[in-house]
Amino acid sequence: MRFAIVVTGPAYGTQQASSALQFAQAVLNEGHELSSVFFYREGVYNANMLTSPASDEFDVVRAWQRLNQTHGVTLNICVAAALRRGIVDETEAARLGLAAANLQPGFILSGLGALAEVSLTCDRVVQF
């Protein structure tokens, strides 16, 4: 079965991102395909390179990045929600005249069209 996940909660402060990550790993462990994770609203904070949890805390941001590197799961970030919340890649930082970019490698800025496309091509879309 082919899955997609939508995450609307931040990396920390709610259970949404952690639950979504555990669900993603369970999907892959059961032999299903996870084609994409789409981060929307406060979920875009999961892609903030500057997130620095304490050394004894689980690092959700780098866990998403490892999921991308290990399994090739596409990590889409809603560009409109990201820009409103200060998450930018190098291209957007240059376009907006910002001093730096802070999008974690492995994540890509995309639009709601990416979510619509994955919704049409997956068997299940699960939102956290």
Side-chain angles (χ1 to χ4, degrees):
M1 189 171 287
R2 192 165 188 219
F3 285 85
I5 296 174
V6 178
V7 180
T8 60
Y12 297 97
T14 70
Q15 190 62 36
Q16 292 164 291
S18 295
S19 295
L21 185 60
Q22 289 175 347
F23 182 81
Q25 291 167 338
V27 163
L28 294 168
N29 289 343
E30 290 298 317
H32 299 290
E33 179 184 351
L34 178 59
S35 64
S36 175
V37 180
F38 191 86
F39 298 89
Y40 187 57
R41 295 184 177 169
E42 307 301 319
V44 300
Y45 288 121
N46 285 275
N48 188 347
M49 180 190 300
L50 301 177
T51 301
S52 301
S55 61
D56 61 342
E57 293 178 3
F58 182 71
D59 191 337
V60 176
V61 174
R62 276 70 187 185
W64 285 119
Q65 185 182 33
R66 282 192 302 277
L67 188 76
N68 167 264
Q69 293 169 342
T70 306
H71 299 285
V73 176
T74 304
L75 303 176
N76 291 298
I77 301 293
C78 175
V79 64
L83 294 178
R84 284 187 201 110
R85 290 164 176 85
I87 310 294
V88 294
D89 64 3
E90 291 184 12
T91 302
E92 290 299 323
R95 184 179 70 82
L96 298 169
L98 301 174
N102 62 344
L103 183 67
Q104 179 74 12
F107 292 82
I108 54 173
L109 294 177
S110 61
L112 290 175
L115 177 60
E117 182 179 330
V118 78
S119 297
L120 293 172
T121 58
C122 287
D123 299 307
R124 299 283 185 271
V125 177
V126 182
Q127 181 176 344
F128 291 87

